[in-house]
Amino acid sequence: MRFINTFLLFCLLCSFSAFSTEETTEYRPKIGLVLSGGGAKGAAHIGVLRIIEQHNIPIDYVVGTSIGSYVGGLYALGYSVDEIEKIMLNLPWDESYSDFIPRELLSLKDKKHRDQYNISFRLGYSDGQLKAPSGLLLGQSAGNLLKYSTDVVATIDSFDHLAIPYRAIAANLATAKTVVIKKGSITKAMRASTAVPGVVEPVRIDGQLLVDGGITNNMPIDVVKAMGADIVIAVDIGSPLLDKNAINDTLDVFDQLSNILTNNTTLAQMKYVSTRDILIRPKIDNLSTTDFTIMPEALKLGEKAALEASTKLKGLSVSQQEYVDYQQQKQHKKRILFDSFLLPIIDIEYQNNSKTNLGVIQEKFAITVGEIVTKEQLQLAINRVYALNEFEHVAAEFVDLPQGRKLILTTQEKSWGPDYLSFGFNLQTDFSYRTIVAIDVAYTQNNISFYGGEWLNEAKLGWESRLASEFYQPLVETQHYFAKARIEYSEDKWEQTTERSELTNEYFKTHFSLGYNFSDNSAVEAGFIGEKGSLSFNNTQETSLDYDSLGTYLSFDYDNLNSMDFPTEGNKFSFNIFWRHENYQEFDGIDPNDTSIEATFDWRGAISVNSHAFVGIASFATVDNESDFSVHVTELGGFLNLSGYQKDALLGAHKAFAAVVYQYDLSRELFGHDSLPLYLGTSIEAGNVWTLKESVDASDLITSGSLYIGTDTSFGPAVFGLGFASGGKSSVFLSLGKSF
């Protein structure tokens, strides 16, 4: 009996000893990392992470708000600090400030529309009211950058399954409550957490409208402790309150209101801080939250602040072997997640929340089952679909299945549609002779018939005027073939010069055509055209000439130019030929019945090397008829169109013009790469117009040139310069808005 008791006591002691040893070796305090919001200053988080790793501190949980959710999300995915630095500091963050589709990616029809209606303003009409987006930015470009950063990661049932358990903090715009995002698309979670209210459109997740979490919880210490963290390392990069002397205008007031909100949420979190927790506050108060060129500086300041907290941080260090084991465990989880990148797509699901034909979307997406898709391929595919200019958002997510990957493409129609208002503006002056102002307005109704029919109504007011209505009907689902009908009333004017009286051409014109879109950049069109008008000569006799014509035409267009006004790449080519039978009223020297063939050719192309751009321009026109008269004339004069002459100073049926333009982008040198463009340019030009075909002579060519400085604005290009031409002609010009 004594033996049995002794044996049992021995076993109990051994068990207790083993239990105690197991507890001693396995237990260590769980460490949570909290990264606050602060815009471009978020690079400071990278510097803090680098020092944390140098101290062999394992992170068990990561929670981030706004830019903190981005850096924290990359770290939770298993990226190293060096990888995060490389990704974050090499992204084109300036692109996130605009969701307007680059001109070269638009369809040919949309390129022409944007050139005409150059004011970058989104406004729609439906249900009896005007509508606008709920943010200045739609978030598409920012979402693209986030998606590119996170690669082709699939949606996840729980962010606990990442290399490090992770949470993103957002705010419910309807309830003003904090939302902790713990599953789904990590890219979408980041996008919601960084959606600044009023600036970026809210993100919909689980029926909630979510915006930047900084307005409800910019320092989510309570969230990371609820996940299980015993000790918290919190990094605060929020902006301090402005001094009263620094509050001088409306923008300053809005900045202060934002600072008050985020600072108050940070102060509210201080009640969760214990003596064991570590707060790190980099000295980044003087840095901008929106200028991403400051990121290298912010990173260094983050490192410096973390080094100053080294004494406290060392208390959280583990042995080298323990830290190696921890890193290996992280990499194992990362490999499980990232190995699926090499699996082929077994299914593609299209969630088309719009009236756009699915066939068009599929053709543009151009990803097929069986492919292994890289982040670069996915980004190009998303951009092609978004360039249809039909959607508010386009997003793609992967779902990993045992047999492969499922790809889900989501297209969301514009919330301010389906009818849209567009505006164009142009002001040109030579400071002495005349000032021309023109305002263009268009009302477009989309998807009003099968295959996406479009009805466009236009009005132009100013020196010249126009009213027009056009119906565009795709004939197949992919919209390659189309029919177009248009009717318009126009009043064109040419001001009096020393060579001619003031002219006014008032006419009605209608045409019907069939066409084929070869690609987004090219199309051919053929149809019938009719005109009826009156040409008025404002001379002492106040004479006028009535006319009408009926004919056919053929046109070909190619356009992949990246800008009409300051191009740096691409070509724009247009060729048109018209055959007309023309009838004129009885008038001295004019044949009342005539047949004419009119041909026009226009080209503009550009190439660039770094900040230097070289632009070529060529334009030719001619009319072949039985008499020497035609109402179908062409003009020369104005900026880069014989710059030494006033706009449309030269008028004739036959034209030849060519120019070479050099542009230098000063902004890169003066203000940094991400600033607005500021071009310094010069041109050499030659050309002329002739009334009679027989009088066309190369010796009559007028040489001209210009020196100018210009930039792009929300009203289109702004150009100020000096033009000069042979014969002593010169002009000082200012152009705001489209100049063609």
Side-chain angles (χ1 to χ4, degrees):
M1 186 67 179
R2 181 183 296 177
F3 173 78
I4 294 174
N5 290 337
T6 304
F7 178 77
L8 291 174
L9 180 61
F10 176 78
C11 290
L12 182 62
L13 290 171
C14 288
S15 299
F16 180 79
S17 175
F19 178 80
S20 300
T21 303
E22 181 178 342
E23 285 290 299
T24 302
T25 56
E26 288 192 2
Y27 177 78
R28 68 168 176 80
K30 298 296 183 180
I31 301 170
L33 177 66
V34 174
L35 304 178
S36 78
K41 295 185 288 187
H45 290 321
I46 303 173
V48 173
L49 282 171
R50 175 162 286 126
I51 302 305
I52 286 174
E53 290 201 342
Q54 289 177 5
H55 283 79
N56 286 2
I57 300 173
I59 299 298
D60 300 289
Y61 309 101
V62 178
V63 181
T65 298
S66 196
I67 194 68
S69 74
Y70 171 74
V71 178
L74 294 182
Y75 197 59
L77 282 169
Y79 287 106
S80 69
V81 174
D82 288 341
E83 287 173 327
I84 296 173
E85 179 183 353
K86 183 178 179 181
I87 292 170
M88 191 171 179
L89 269 63
N90 286 284
L91 284 177
W93 290 100
D94 57 306
E95 293 181 5
S96 67
Y97 292 138
S98 174
D99 288 306
F100 283 93
I101 302 163
R103 184 184 185 278
E104 62 270 23
L105 298 182
L106 290 169
S107 68
L108 189 65
K109 179 169 67 70
D110 286 342
K111 287 185 179 84
K112 292 179 179 179
H113 189 85
R114 181 182 290 185
D115 292 343
Q116 183 70 27
Y117 301 97
N118 55 303
I119 298 178
S120 55
F121 184 68
R122 298 182 176 102
L123 186 66
Y125 178 83
S126 63
D127 303 323
Q129 59 182 342
L130 294 174
K131 293 183 177 181
S134 53
L136 296 176
L137 300 174
L138 305 179
Q140 180 69 28
S141 298
N144 286 346
L145 294 180
L146 298 178
K147 172 62 73 177
Y148 195 81
S149 301
T150 57
D151 216 315
V152 287
V153 174
T155 56
I156 303 168
D157 293 336
S158 171
F159 290 159
D160 288 341
H161 299 155
L162 297 177
I164 304 173
Y166 164 76
R167 301 289 186 267
I169 305 301
N172 188 317
L173 190 59
T175 65
K177 292 183 178 180
T178 297
V179 176
V180 180
I181 307 174
K182 57 182 71 174
K183 65 177 182 179
S185 163
I186 191 170
T187 303
K188 198 170 186 179
M190 292 175 178
R191 195 158 68 86
S193 184
T194 56
V196 179
V199 177
V200 182
E201 284 240 312
V203 177
R204 290 184 179 271
I205 296 180
D206 297 332
Q208 304 174 98
L209 281 177
L210 303 184
V211 295
D212 194 314
I215 65 174
T216 58
N217 196 346
N218 200 44
M219 183 68 74
I221 295 171
D222 59 335
V223 177
V224 80
K225 288 203 170 185
M227 293 175 71
D230 300 305
I231 300 174
V232 175
I233 301 173
V235 187
D236 180 14
I237 59 167
S239 299
L241 296 180
L242 298 174
D243 184 83
K244 65 178 182 179
N245 295 324
I247 304 174
N248 299 311
D249 54 34
T250 304
L251 291 178
D252 293 336
V253 172
F254 281 121
D255 282 344
Q256 186 75 328
L257 289 174
S258 176
N259 295 341
I260 290 171
L261 283 172
T262 55
N263 276 273
N264 284 346
T265 66
T266 298
L267 289 173
Q269 287 291 305
M270 292 302 104
K271 64 184 179 183
Y272 299 104
V273 177
S274 71
T275 56
R276 303 174 69 189
D277 298 330
I278 301 172
L279 298 179
I280 299 175
R281 170 73 185 176
K283 296 177 181 178
I284 39 74
D285 291 352
N286 294 326
L287 299 184
S288 169
T289 59
T290 57
D291 181 6
F292 285 90
T293 61
I294 58 92
M295 288 196 296
E297 183 181 356
L299 191 153
K300 292 179 181 178
L301 291 173
E303 285 186 357
K304 183 178 179 181
L307 285 171
E308 291 171 354
S310 287
T311 302
K312 292 183 178 180
L313 289 173
K314 285 178 181 178
L316 305 180
S317 300
V318 297
S319 68
Q320 183 64 29
Q321 185 57 52
E322 286 179 293
Y323 195 68
V324 169
D325 293 342
Y326 162 79
Q327 292 283 26
Q328 289 177 345
Q329 185 182 35
K330 272 179 55 180
Q331 291 305 307
H332 174 68
K333 291 182 178 180
K334 179 185 176 184
R335 281 195 299 273
I336 293 174
L337 192 65
F338 281 38
D339 281 351
S340 63
F341 293 4
L342 302 177
L343 296 176
I345 295 173
I346 60 169
D347 185 28
I348 300 177
E349 178 182 335
Y350 294 90
Q351 296 182 355
N352 181 23
N353 303 308
S354 74
K355 295 180 181 178
T356 304
N357 284 295
L358 185 58
V360 177
I361 296 172
Q362 290 174 323
E363 183 181 57
K364 296 299 180 184
F365 196 48
I367 289 179
T368 58
V369 170
E371 285 189 70
I372 298 173
V373 178
T374 65
K375 64 179 181 181
E376 291 82 7
Q377 290 172 313
L378 183 64
Q379 194 67 69
L380 289 173
I382 291 173
N383 288 344
R384 287 194 299 268
V385 176
Y386 189 64
L388 286 169
N389 203 22
E390 298 280 349
F391 310 112
E392 189 162 346
H393 298 294
V394 176
E397 299 291 348
F398 289 91
V399 177
D400 287 341
L401 302 172
Q403 61 271 41
R405 314 196 85 191
K406 179 179 180 180
L407 179 56
I408 302 173
L409 180 74
T410 303
T411 49
Q412 182 63 50
E413 68 181 355
K414 297 174 181 178
S415 59
W416 62 98
D419 302 342
Y420 307 105
L421 288 162
S422 306
F423 302 91
F425 176 79
N426 172 237
L427 180 149
Q428 296 189 52
T429 180
D430 57 13
F431 297 101
S432 60
Y433 190 63
R434 66 174 179 172
T435 297
I436 294 177
V437 177
I439 298 174
D440 295 272
V441 182
Y443 178 65
T444 308
Q445 293 178 275
N446 290 287
N447 296 306
I448 62 174
S449 63
F450 62 95
Y451 299 146
E454 177 183 292
W455 187 14
L456 171 68
N457 292 281
E458 301 176 291
K460 180 179 182 179
L461 306 173
W463 166 248
E464 298 180 321
S465 59
R466 181 178 66 248
L467 291 173
S469 186
E470 178 179 296
F471 184 70
Y472 180 90
Q473 177 60 59
L475 300 178
V476 294
E477 186 180 20
T478 56
Q479 300 186 353
H480 289 299
Y481 295 93
F482 64 89
K484 185 167 68 175
R486 180 181 176 90
I487 184 169
E488 72 174 75
Y489 162 80
S490 292
E491 186 179 78
D492 297 340
K493 289 186 177 182
W494 297 277
E495 196 160 340
Q496 182 174 349
T497 66
T498 55
E499 290 81 17
R500 66 164 189 265
S501 302
E502 179 181 306
L503 297 176
T504 300
N505 187 14
E506 186 178 358
Y507 60 91
F508 289 92
K509 180 167 69 175
T510 183
H511 75 248
F512 174 80
S513 63
L514 296 174
Y516 177 70
N517 293 310
F518 292 99
S519 67
D520 287 337
N521 299 324
S522 57
V524 63
E525 185 178 332
F528 299 94
I529 185 169
E531 295 172 289
K532 184 176 181 62
S534 177
L535 186 65
S536 301
F537 304 84
N538 187 16
N539 51 26
T540 54
Q541 290 81 29
E542 295 287 341
T543 54
S544 64
L545 172 67
D546 295 333
Y547 68 92
D548 63 74
S549 69
L550 185 66
T552 61
Y553 72 94
L554 176 68
S555 67
F556 175 79
D557 291 278
Y558 176 85
D559 186 354
N560 70 343
L561 206 63
N562 63 351
S563 170
M564 269 297 293
D565 306 289
F566 303 109
T568 57
E569 186 178 11
N571 289 274
K572 183 179 186 300
F573 168 90
S574 176
F575 173 74
N576 300 276
I577 187 165
F578 300 86
W579 176 90
R580 297 184 180 93
H581 179 73
E582 301 174 332
N583 298 304
Y584 297 100
Q585 79 175 73
E586 293 291 340
F587 199 82
D588 186 29
I590 297 178
D591 191 338
N593 294 292
D594 202 354
T595 299
S596 69
I597 297 177
E598 177 189 5
T600 65
F601 168 85
D602 293 280
W603 169 76
R604 179 172 297 204
I607 58 172
S608 63
V609 180
N610 298 322
S611 299
H612 308 274
F614 301 89
V615 183
I617 302 172
S619 182
F620 301 94
T622 188
V623 177
D624 185 19
N625 57 5
E626 297 175 4
S627 67
D628 294 329
F629 178 83
S630 175
V631 296
H632 301 104
V633 293
T634 186
E635 310 94 356
L636 269 179
F639 176 51
L640 299 185
N641 198 36
L642 284 187
S643 300
Y645 283 75
Q646 69 186 60
K647 182 174 172 59
D648 300 342
L650 304 178
L651 191 68
H654 311 279
K655 175 178 72 174
F657 175 78
V660 176
V661 184
Y662 167 74
Q663 291 176 173
Y664 179 71
D665 189 351
L666 283 170
S667 61
R668 298 192 181 195
E669 180 178 329
L670 297 178
F671 311 118
H673 176 74
D674 297 334
S675 62
L676 287 173
L678 179 65
Y679 296 102
L680 180 65
T682 185
S683 65
I684 300 174
E685 310 159 26
N688 205 346
V689 297
W690 296 267
T691 303
L692 304 177
K693 185 178 181 180
E694 293 77 13
S695 63
V696 175
D697 192 332
S699 63
D700 294 333
L701 289 176
I702 301 167
T703 56
S704 183
S706 69
L707 290 170
Y708 64 89
I709 189 166
T711 187
D712 278 320
T713 73
S714 57
F715 289 93
V719 182
F720 175 78
L722 171 67
F724 45 88
S726 54
K729 292 280 188 179
S730 65
S731 66
V732 178
F733 55 84
L734 171 67
S735 175
L736 179 60
K738 58 183 185 291
S739 57
F740 50 90

